[in-house]
Amino acid sequence: MGIRRLLTALLVALAALALAHESRQVGPYRIVIGFLYNPAFAGFPNSLDLRVTEGGKPVEGLEKTLIVEIIAPNGEAFQVDLRPAHGQPGYYRGWFIPGVSGNYVWRVRGRIGDLEINETFSKFFHSKEAVLDPREYTVPKGR
């Protein structure tokens, strides 16, 4: 019975992670994007979590051809420093600190292979907002 519960818990955790990312087919490429840490909290470091595949195979070298921006609720854009994730071909990171709670948008533009792209992603989170106010989750309250 212990193994069954463990496997069920693992599947639930993986499903929650999948819901915290937006996946889209763009030409022959599958783009999956979201925050590395979910839920995200205002004032705490987080990162872009970007995966790009073609036919299920990782696409590498995109740190040279893509520009990725996080757009805050007030419309201010911040270009993340896109870097390959260590030991994970086709995965990319870009660190930042979301300054306020609210709904954020990712913008990805540039080239993947011969394809010019300019895509926005706004459905990559599974909480009430993309970035939560940490004061709502602080114990004890009022500190």
Side-chain angles (χ1 to χ4, degrees), residues 58-142:
V59 178
E60 297 183 73
L62 298 181
E63 72 279 6
K64 299 171 191 152
T65 63
L66 289 182
I67 294 170
V68 182
E69 297 172 306
I70 184 83
I71 302 169
N74 69 355
E76 184 178 338
F78 176 77
Q79 183 177 322
V80 298
D81 184 17
L82 190 63
R83 303 277 180 157
H86 180 70
Q88 296 178 297
Y91 283 69
Y92 299 87
R93 302 285 183 260
W95 293 92
F96 66 100
I97 299 173
V100 297
S101 61
N103 290 322
Y104 286 66
V105 174
W106 287 110
R107 181 181 331 166
V108 180
R109 55 191 169 92
R111 297 190 78 71
I112 304 175
D114 292 331
L115 183 66
E116 188 78 28
I117 69 162
N118 187 357
E119 299 284 323
T120 57
F121 298 84
S122 60
K123 297 176 176 66
F124 57 87
F125 54 93
H126 62 291
S127 52
K128 65 181 180 176
E129 296 177 310
V131 176
L132 302 174
D133 183 343
R135 292 174 297 186
E136 294 180 23
Y137 300 88
T138 301
V139 177
K141 293 285 184 196

